[in-house]
Amino acid sequence: MMADAALESYDAALAAELVPLATLANASLANLYLPSDWGLAYSYTGAASMGGCQYFLAVSPASSPTMCVLVLGALWSDFIAFYTPDNHSLFLVPSSVVGTAAAISADGGFETMYQSIRRSLWVDLAKIQRTIPAFATTLPLVVVGLGPGAPVAQLASLDLRPNKTLSPSPVTSLQSYVYSCPPFADAAFAASFASMVPAAYRVQAPADLFPSQPLPASGYVQAGAQQNLAMAIPTYDSPWVERDGPYYQQLLTGVAPVNDGAGTTAAVPGFDPLLAFAMAKLSAIPYQMAQHPGSTLAFTYSPYVLQQNLSVGATVWASLFEGPDTLVIALRGTFTWIELITLVSNAAPSSPAWLGGNYGKYAQPLVDLYASGRDSLRAALNVLGNKPVILTGHDCGGALANLMAVDILTNPLAGNRTVASVYTFGTGPAADLTFARNYGLSRLGSCNFQVARTLDIMPALQLLGAPQTLGTPVPLSGGDFDSYNGSTYHGLYNYIDLLNPGS
């Protein structure tokens, strides 16, 4: 049973009850199953071309409602494809949303997402007043959002707050709970939001660095009263787990996650499931070294020895290992919102300077990132044992591993430091058709294994320019009821669990 609508102070129990709803709003609403004693009133999904923003209105208790909750989110696949850097710029929030003449600004992409569902939302709120007697004269509302839905939820909270001068709202009391909410507005927005929506709470897990950028120096700040949860790094540091609802619910309730047992990989010639498990674990290390420098790993990875963590710019992007027979480069994927939109959403093609122009093109942000660390990565391999190299990575770390494999093949390192194999996990598309064809025809085509869960959103992304994934697909099944699946099925933590032969 939910707390009373008039409650204005932060309530951790209420936060725990709301976060599963927020998780649902970032996945398809086509077959929406709400937790016990919740009733669905209305739902709506906006255009994919405008970020896939969506919402549902739920009431509790279902039989005799006293509380109405607006849960906002976005389909992650649509959000990633939509939110290129072109959408990342501050614009004035319309006066109809602000409700006053105050000049406050928010990121243009999130404003576009909210405007894509605003008209339908106001219509559905009016329907609730007409169809649910309990809300005919008073409409208490709790507004909720997580990740891509969190900034939209704060915009909606501003728009729907009671006693607006312009565009009066039917809402009579309002609370706002958001989780993993990135900085998306200027200081004027944050100040106005604090005074206009006083019962607005931004719940933050310290291990979740998705909201850590952009930095305040860029003009972006956080809005809402921050509520810090406990610091807890999962066994395998996995940003796509740490930013999603199940992890937040774990911190709020103290209930440990459960997995669904070992997964099953398809039988693919040359694929070694035990080696895949080892590589997946090594891929978790650069994530932890980048997100939590100096922290202690909670798992073992023998017989590999960590020789060096390699930074590109000011942060770790790769970890270098030496094993009995091979060297291993493990590359991480994104963990901040800004990294996501600049390295994954932006797939504009480019030809690497070190690669012949006839080979094809690759996503320019990844080409540029690899180029800035290329010399140090190659040099680090050349000072270790004269052994073949395995390249591995999760998310766009896998795409970087694919790019480095082409580099080593076309621009050989000294001695026996050739590409032995490439193992990637949940890697998204980055190559144009020519690049993908040449990659597949090369020796890499038979030693590159693209491990992907069936429901993982990342390998199936439809990005501008229709880039392709690389490698022999290795479908990974199982884990449908893992606690950490969240709304993306993309977390490296789950890949490791499913590949673990001891599960």
Side-chain angles (χ1 to χ4, degrees):
M1 182 73 67
M2 291 198 61
D4 186 86
L7 181 67
E8 298 243 336
S9 60
Y10 173 73
D11 184 339
L14 178 57
E17 189 171 1
L18 294 172
V19 73
L21 300 177
T23 307
L24 293 173
N26 289 334
S28 173
L29 302 184
N31 296 294
L32 185 59
Y33 295 99
L34 299 182
S36 176
D37 211 25
W38 284 91
L40 177 64
Y42 300 100
S43 66
Y44 180 80
T45 298
S49 61
M50 300 180 78
C53 190
Q54 57 188 11
Y55 67 83
F56 63 88
L57 286 153
V59 296
S60 175
S63 57
S64 181
T66 58
M67 178 72 68
C68 182
V69 177
L70 167 63
V71 189
L72 295 117
L75 290 164
W76 270 103
S77 54
D78 291 345
F79 172 76
I80 293 170
F82 161 78
Y83 224 116
T84 64
D86 291 341
N87 288 311
H88 178 44
S89 185
L90 289 170
F91 289 91
L92 287 174
V93 180
S95 58
S96 57
V97 174
V98 181
T100 70
I104 63 177
S105 297
D107 213 54
F110 287 115
E111 287 195 53
T112 297
M113 290 169 65
Y114 180 57
Q115 289 297 333
S116 74
I117 55 96
R118 182 175 185 255
R119 180 185 297 274
S120 176
L121 173 58
W122 279 71
V123 169
D124 284 343
L125 285 170
K127 289 179 183 177
I128 282 183
Q129 285 192 297
R130 292 197 305 268
T131 60
I132 302 178
F135 302 133
T137 57
T138 60
L139 180 55
L141 188 69
V142 179
V143 184
V144 185
L146 180 150
V152 182
Q154 290 195 331
L155 286 167
S157 299
L158 188 68
D159 189 18
L160 297 173
R161 72 186 189 276
N163 304 316
K164 269 180 70 184
T165 304
L166 301 175
S167 301
S169 166
V171 174
T172 55
S173 66
L174 186 143
Q175 299 174 73
S176 173
Y177 280 75
V178 296
Y179 313 79
S180 190
C181 183
F184 74 100
D186 65 3
F189 181 102
S192 295
F193 189 77
S195 63
M196 296 176 180
V197 192
Y201 307 107
R202 178 170 44 83
V203 184
Q204 182 59 50
D208 170 21
L209 298 185
F210 182 71
S212 63
Q213 293 180 357
L215 299 174
S218 68
Y220 286 80
V221 299
Q222 299 276 13
Q226 182 163 322
Q227 309 297 318
N228 288 318
L229 303 181
M231 167 61 87
I233 303 173
T235 303
Y236 307 110
D237 203 354
S238 180
W240 283 87
V241 164
E242 292 151 355
R243 72 180 58 146
D244 216 333
Y247 174 72
Y248 272 81
Q249 189 174 21
Q250 174 194 344
L251 295 182
L252 286 161
T253 64
V255 178
V258 295
N259 64 40
D260 197 22
T264 303
T265 53
V268 173
F271 175 73
D272 184 342
L274 292 178
L275 182 59
F277 172 56
M279 293 302 103
K281 288 203 296 182
L282 296 187
S283 296
I285 294 174
Y287 273 129
Q288 185 162 339
M289 296 300 98
Q291 294 195 107
H292 309 291
S295 59
T296 301
L297 296 166
F299 60 94
T300 61
Y301 46 91
S302 177
Y304 299 95
V305 176
L306 176 61
Q307 297 288 3
Q308 189 177 356
N309 293 307
L310 298 162
S311 294
V312 177
T315 182
V316 169
W317 273 95
S319 296
L320 175 60
F321 305 85
E322 185 164 5
D325 304 309
T326 57
L327 306 177
V328 179
I329 287 275
L331 296 123
R332 71 168 176 89
T334 65
F335 62 80
T336 72
W337 171 49
I338 298 303
E339 285 182 350
L340 177 67
I341 67 173
T342 56
L343 295 175
V344 178
S345 301
N346 182 14
S350 175
S351 296
W354 45 263
L355 186 62
N358 294 329
Y359 198 95
K361 295 183 178 181
Y362 212 69
Q364 181 175 344
L366 298 178
V367 169
D368 294 343
L369 178 62
Y370 176 66
S372 64
R374 178 177 181 247
D375 290 345
S376 60
L377 287 166
R378 290 170 63 92
L381 285 170
N382 271 330
V383 299
L384 293 183
N386 187 15
K387 304 171 183 177
V389 179
I390 300 175
L391 297 160
T392 190
H394 170 259
D395 190 79
C396 74
L400 290 167
N402 289 330
L403 194 60
M404 188 172 183
V406 175
D407 187 15
I408 295 176
L409 181 67
T410 56
N411 302 286
L413 297 168
N416 295 322
R417 298 178 184 89
T418 56
V419 178
S421 57
V422 183
Y423 279 75
T424 68
F425 308 93
T427 294
D432 73 1
L433 284 170
T434 303
F435 194 108
R437 182 176 64 250
N438 286 324
Y439 193 103
L441 292 173
S442 75
R443 189 177 65 80
L444 298 174
S446 61
C447 67
N448 178 308
F449 303 102
Q450 177 199 353
V451 183
R453 300 184 67 191
T454 305
L455 296 177
D456 188 341
I457 63 160
M458 194 63 68
L461 285 178
Q462 301 294 313
L463 300 177
L464 188 65
Q468 310 292 302
T469 57
L470 299 176
T472 302
V474 182
L476 175 62
S477 61
D480 292 349
F481 301 101
D482 280 358
S483 291
Y484 279 159
N485 281 332
S487 52
T488 67
Y489 291 77
H490 182 56
L492 180 60
Y493 190 106
N494 301 83
Y495 275 89
I496 297 171
D497 261 355
L498 291 172
L499 291 165
N500 186 352
S503 293

